[in-house]
Amino acid sequence: MPLSKPFKKAAQQISVPTKHLCKRMTKAEKTAAVILLAALLIRGLLAASLPMERIKDRPASLVVTDKEGAPLRGTLASDGEWRLPVPLAEMGKWMPAAAVEIEDRRFYSHMGVDLPAIFRALRQNIENGRVVSGASTITSQVIRLSVERKRTPVNKILEFIQATALESRLTKEEILEIYLNSVPFGGNTRGVEAAARTWFGKPAKELSLAEAALLTGLLRGPAYYRPDRHPLRARELRDRLIDTLRERGLATDEEARRAKSEPLPQARQAIASAHIQAAAKAAQYGEARKNLDSYGRFRSTLDTGKQKMLLAELQRLTARMEPGITAAAVLVENKSGKVRGYIGNAKEGTNFAQAWVDCAASPRSPGSALKPFVYALAFESGAAAPDTMIADVPSNAANGGTRNFDRLFRGPVSARTALCDSLNVPAVKMLQMAGMENTLALLQRLGFKSLTKEAKWYGESLALGGCEVSLLELARAYRTLANGGADSPLLWNERGRPASGSQVISEAAAALTLDILKDTRRNLPTFGEADADGKIIAFKTGTSYGLRDAWTAAVTPEWTLIVWAGDPSGKPHRSLVGLSAAAPAAVSIMLKLTPKGAKWFDLPPSVSKAQLCPLSGAPRNQWCPQSKTGLRIGGISNSEPCALHVMKNGEIKTEWPEELARFFANRGGAQRAGLVITSPKNGAAYFIAAEKLLLTSEGGRGPVYWFADGELIGTVDGGSSVSWTMKPGKHKISAADEYGASDEKEITVRSLKNSETDDLPLLEEN
């Protein structure tokens, strides 16, 4: 009986109970059964002894990817090597095929040991009297890469036996994936992904036939065939391997011809990318080490496309500013709280002296950027509403007092106008209404970690920006406004779930604040374009004391964006004004992100419309000469009627609060108090950039007539605005109503070519 038949028979009967086995089998079959059982036992023992952890879980580089899985940055593995494991499906078409065809052609048919290859190697080595050929398979190489052994015949046999055992534990695809992720390509580069990025600056899935053939050739001698040092021998081997693949039907003649015409890489490339700061922040806040996938990758929330757009806009911003200024930005998706864009320093990777500074994470003075939260708290408490009249008048003049950015005072203004124009005096009064302790507690709940002292230590600076915040903190706070007052930490892990939010500001107060910040009256050409295109963007600027930081926070229903410009060293620069430095870039970014006709926030049910006195902002009484529709929080906003307009001796009069009456008297008489021009500001300087200047007023009875240098510009209803085409020079802007109340302002208009003159007053801050 041939030997194969007893083994076959024994294998068929191996499951028969032992007491019946001997009765049914011949002596040859019994011998075959013993041998087969011994072989199975040995293979089982070897399989059980396989170092599977070392085979499957080798040290890997930490790779931070964008939200789609594209690597942003990698770091060396714990053993000092670049190893970027990827699934077999992400290795592309050519690399796995070339590796199998060249390294182990019968990989899919053998069981870990290629007997024909062994016999061929023995014959060649005996004929040459030395080792000229090996018989390793991909499976046996996986064993050798995982277990360090001396190169001896005994260890080679053990390697083959363990290879057969490994074939019983893993599929062919799993073995091939491990091999291609572990094989050395020279230096500290292991695996096809690291090799593809080192030599070609691309992922393995994008490798061409020529590139895959070159990398396969490097496996035969990474130093000997290194293309940048030995291009002739590298090209010769590559082309020979391409011919082999063509002859074996893996490539067509045309594919082979094109592959041979491709140039060789001239040098190795750095694997670490230019997104160092963004990737580092994603890894830090996303707790990357705790959230790795099975290939050692952390999928961040960052969007590569958004990153590129932010960087391009910030580079345009810095290109027109002094050399010492850089910029930073944070972009957050409101619905999820995911950070989609993070530029820590627009000059990262350049020869800029402080390119290494991550400005987006550095605490800086926010200027007026915190004012909206003071107003929101005042609205929430009912102490004020958007149309509430605030006295913008000098206070504590003997001690310097609080001053506005342009050092002008406007008298009676609405809370809406005060926030839009970023007036300091009204902001301090709103802080007093809301309460300093309450305001500090709100800012702390919003995540401003540097605010650790008592409220009295900060004082008015809580509203005026005399503290420090980071872009990330400010992005979280403004996203809270967009999220209806619900606060939650920003998310950096794409696979993570958004944290449940806690309500830190009422939905109504957040809605009213954003409704104010979408006012289009501000002198910003880019925003004018946004309004003309039907796009609505709420934004707030900020300029720190001494012109050291320029900020803009912008919000739409979908996005929250913070843009900062400044000198990392803290040096002041004349151009660091939020409206002119940071706002154009912020608005331009939001224009690109916002589709035409995008819907704005819906007002919550708790916000209602009411007929108000245009001057006091309180519910209209029977003597108020005019009315306007305004927004209030039902059951919260003060419902007391207007106290400014009263009937005395059969005549309707306006009784101003004492501080306003004093202010008007100091300006030349109360007869002009009924009409106040709120824009432009007296003595302000404007540069011709948008051509049109918006003229607005408060108060007045009936139609308001506007004049420029004595020439009629237009007639509008009280409280409405009119546009005036600016011309260089000094101008007198005046307004009057039909009852004789009037006001006038003197302004200077300059052309842009003179905008760098040192003695010019600054553009007004909004």
Side-chain angles (χ1 to χ4, degrees):
M1 178 182 294
L3 187 59
S4 61
K5 291 185 178 180
F7 275 103
K8 185 176 182 180
K9 183 71 173 178
Q12 293 173 345
Q13 299 188 18
I14 200 73
S15 61
V16 178
T18 306
K19 63 181 181 179
H20 301 295
L21 187 61
C22 295
K23 295 180 180 180
R24 297 187 180 184
M25 300 177 67
T26 65
K27 184 177 181 179
E29 290 170 347
K30 292 177 183 179
T31 303
V34 171
I35 296 173
L36 183 60
L37 286 170
L40 291 173
L41 178 61
I42 293 171
R43 179 169 173 167
L45 290 173
L46 287 172
S49 66
L50 283 172
M52 295 304 295
E53 288 188 4
R54 295 175 65 180
I55 291 173
K56 299 183 69 174
D57 301 321
R58 297 178 63 80
S61 301
L62 170 62
V63 179
V64 178
T65 77
D66 69 5
K67 69 185 186 70
E68 302 297 337
L72 296 173
R73 186 194 179 200
T75 58
L76 290 173
S78 58
D79 57 2
E81 294 186 317
W82 284 111
R83 186 182 289 105
L84 311 174
V86 294
L88 186 64
E90 293 184 20
M91 295 181 187
K93 168 186 175 182
W94 292 112
M95 193 64 212
V100 170
E101 193 63 33
I102 301 301
E103 292 293 301
D104 188 358
R105 189 179 183 186
R106 286 180 285 275
F107 171 69
Y108 287 103
S109 60
H110 64 61
M111 293 298 294
V113 178
D114 189 352
L115 292 177
I118 292 176
F119 293 141
R120 184 204 67 235
L122 286 172
R123 184 181 69 254
Q124 292 177 347
N125 294 340
I126 292 172
E127 290 174 352
N128 289 273
R130 60 187 177 86
V131 177
V132 296
S133 178
S136 295
T137 61
I138 286 176
T139 312
S140 65
Q141 289 188 65
V142 169
I143 298 295
R144 184 167 70 248
L145 291 168
S146 304
V147 183
E148 294 185 4
R149 295 190 179 103
K150 292 183 178 180
R151 303 300 295 157
T152 65
V154 173
N155 285 339
K156 188 70 173 179
I157 294 172
L158 180 59
E159 183 182 292
F160 280 142
I161 295 174
Q162 285 191 318
T164 63
L166 184 62
E167 293 269 355
S168 69
R169 296 284 297 273
L170 301 177
T171 65
K172 289 289 187 180
E173 288 72 21
E174 290 172 329
I175 293 170
L176 181 59
E177 180 181 291
I178 293 172
Y179 169 74
L180 290 174
N181 278 325
S182 306
V183 69
F185 285 91
N188 63 346
T189 303
R190 282 188 178 265
V192 298
E193 184 72 13
R197 293 186 178 278
T198 296
W199 285 111
F200 304 107
K202 62 171 66 174
K205 64 183 178 182
E206 296 179 8
L207 290 174
S208 66
L209 169 59
E211 292 164 344
L214 178 65
L215 292 186
T216 303
L218 283 177
L219 298 178
R220 299 187 175 187
Y224 188 78
Y225 292 108
R226 183 167 166 167
D228 58 336
R229 294 180 179 175
H230 310 290
L232 294 179
R233 66 176 68 146
R235 179 180 290 276
E236 180 184 3
L237 177 60
R238 183 200 70 176
D239 291 352
R240 192 164 68 246
L241 295 180
I242 291 173
D243 285 335
T244 299
L245 295 174
R246 176 184 56 79
E247 292 166 1
R248 295 178 179 177
L250 269 73
T252 65
D253 292 343
E254 179 60 21
E255 287 173 332
R257 185 190 63 78
R258 288 200 304 267
K260 289 182 181 181
S261 66
E262 290 187 23
L264 296 176
Q266 301 298 309
R268 293 166 61 95
Q269 301 183 34
I271 292 180
S273 72
H275 302 284
I276 295 176
Q277 292 172 344
K281 275 293 169 287
Q284 175 187 347
Y285 290 112
E287 298 183 309
R289 293 291 182 185
K290 297 180 181 179
N291 294 291
L292 300 178
D293 64 14
S294 57
Y295 296 93
R297 298 177 299 185
F298 169 70
R299 182 167 292 195
S300 76
T301 57
L302 296 171
D303 184 316
T304 297
K306 303 293 188 300
Q307 285 283 109
K308 291 179 179 178
M309 183 186 68
L310 291 180
L311 182 59
E313 290 292 341
L314 296 187
Q315 288 174 339
R316 276 193 283 272
L317 182 160
T318 57
R320 57 182 173 82
M321 306 192 79
E322 296 95 320
I325 294 176
T326 186
V330 175
L331 178 67
V332 178
E333 187 178 72
N334 291 334
K335 184 177 181 181
S336 64
K338 293 179 178 179
V339 179
R340 294 303 188 195
Y342 183 94
I343 304 296
N345 191 323
K347 296 185 178 180
E348 179 185 8
T350 70
N351 58 3
F352 181 60
Q354 294 176 305
W356 56 273
V357 178
D358 186 347
C359 301
S362 304
R364 308 285 299 209
S365 174
S368 299
L370 294 184
K371 287 178 181 175
F373 304 101
V374 177
Y375 279 74
L377 193 58
F379 296 157
E380 181 180 83
S381 68
D387 294 287
T388 299
M389 185 187 72
I390 311 293
D392 180 24
V393 297
S395 61
N396 300 321
N399 298 319
T402 302
R403 294 183 177 182
N404 294 317
F405 186 84
D406 56 10
R407 300 180 180 270
L408 302 176
F409 298 96
R410 295 152 181 79
V413 296
S414 67
R416 180 182 293 276
T417 298
L419 180 54
C420 279
D421 291 351
S422 202
L423 304 180
N424 290 337
V425 175
V428 171
K429 293 185 176 181
M430 295 293 280
L431 176 65
Q432 294 167 350
M433 293 180 191
M436 289 187 184
E437 295 284 353
N438 294 335
T439 302
L440 177 61
L442 170 62
L443 294 176
Q444 290 172 337
R445 291 196 303 272
L446 286 167
F448 293 105
K449 298 185 183 301
S450 61
L451 300 179
T452 57
K453 301 183 182 297
E454 296 180 355
K456 63 181 180 180
W457 189 91
Y458 296 104
E460 295 179 354
S461 67
L462 283 175
L464 304 181
C467 51
E468 291 186 332
V469 304
S470 71
L471 271 76
L472 283 170
E473 291 174 337
L474 205 59
R476 174 176 173 176
Y478 272 87
R479 185 246 172 178
T480 298
L481 289 178
N483 204 31
D487 168 71
S488 62
L490 301 181
L491 196 63
W492 293 85
N493 178 10
E494 182 64 20
R495 295 186 175 91
R497 293 183 178 180
S500 56
S502 57
Q503 200 74 28
V504 297
I505 304 173
S506 73
E507 185 181 12
L512 291 180
T513 304
L514 288 178
D515 184 73
I516 291 174
L517 295 179
K518 70 178 176 62
D519 192 317
T520 60
R521 294 186 301 108
R522 287 165 281 187
N523 182 24
L524 182 63
T526 314
F527 191 73
E529 295 171 10
D531 183 53
D533 200 26
K535 298 178 181 180
I536 302 175
I537 301 168
F539 72 95
K540 179 71 189 76
T541 62
T543 303
S544 66
Y545 178 78
L547 303 179
R548 289 174 169 82
D549 307 272
W551 300 79
T552 294
V555 175
T556 65
E558 188 175 2
W559 301 102
T560 291
L561 171 70
I562 308 296
V563 172
W564 170 90
D567 190 321
S569 68
K571 179 182 176 181
H573 292 267
R574 184 175 175 81
S575 61
L576 288 176
V577 178
L579 183 63
S580 58
V587 173
S588 179
I589 291 168
M590 285 304 217
L591 283 178
K592 290 180 172 64
L593 292 173
T594 305
K596 186 175 181 179
K599 186 180 179 183
W600 188 246
F601 295 97
D602 290 326
L603 291 173
S606 53
V607 173
S608 58
K609 295 181 179 180
Q611 292 301 307
L612 309 174
C613 171
L615 197 55
S616 68
R620 183 186 182 190
N621 69 25
Q622 58 184 319
W623 297 293
C624 292
Q626 295 178 333
S627 69
K628 64 175 289 186
T629 302
L631 300 177
R632 301 171 66 78
I633 303 176
I636 300 295
S637 299
N638 191 341
S639 59
E640 293 183 7
C642 172
L644 285 181
H645 298 103
V646 298
M647 176 67 73
K648 283 190 175 181
N649 301 322
E651 185 180 356
I652 298 175
K653 293 186 176 183
T654 302
E655 291 191 346
W656 296 100
E658 183 180 350
E659 58 180 346
L660 281 171
R662 231 181 7 253
F663 173 73
F664 290 131
N666 291 335
R667 294 176 65 200
Q671 71 273 13
R672 296 185 350 179
L675 176 67
V676 179
I677 295 176
T678 55
S679 175
K681 285 73 181 180
N682 195 49
Y686 294 87
F687 301 145
I688 297 180
E691 294 185 356
K692 297 286 188 179
L693 177 64
L694 209 60
L695 311 178
T696 59
S697 66
E698 293 262 342
R701 299 168 65 185
V704 175
Y705 303 89
W706 286 94
F707 303 85
D709 302 321
E711 181 179 354
L712 181 65
I713 299 171
T715 305
V716 296
D717 293 333
S720 299
S721 60
V722 64
S723 294
W724 171 62
T725 302
M726 292 189 288
K727 301 175 183 178
K730 291 187 176 181
H731 303 277
K732 181 178 291 185
I733 305 297
S734 57
D737 68 8
E738 60 184 13
Y739 292 91
S742 64
D743 195 5
E744 64 182 28
K745 309 289 183 183
E746 287 190 357
I747 65 171
T748 301
V749 177
R750 303 273 186 173
S751 61
L752 285 174
K753 64 181 180 180
N754 297 323
S755 63
E756 296 179 357
T757 304
D758 290 339
D759 61 349
L760 281 180
L762 291 171
L763 284 172
E764 55 188 313
E765 164 71 325
N766 286 281

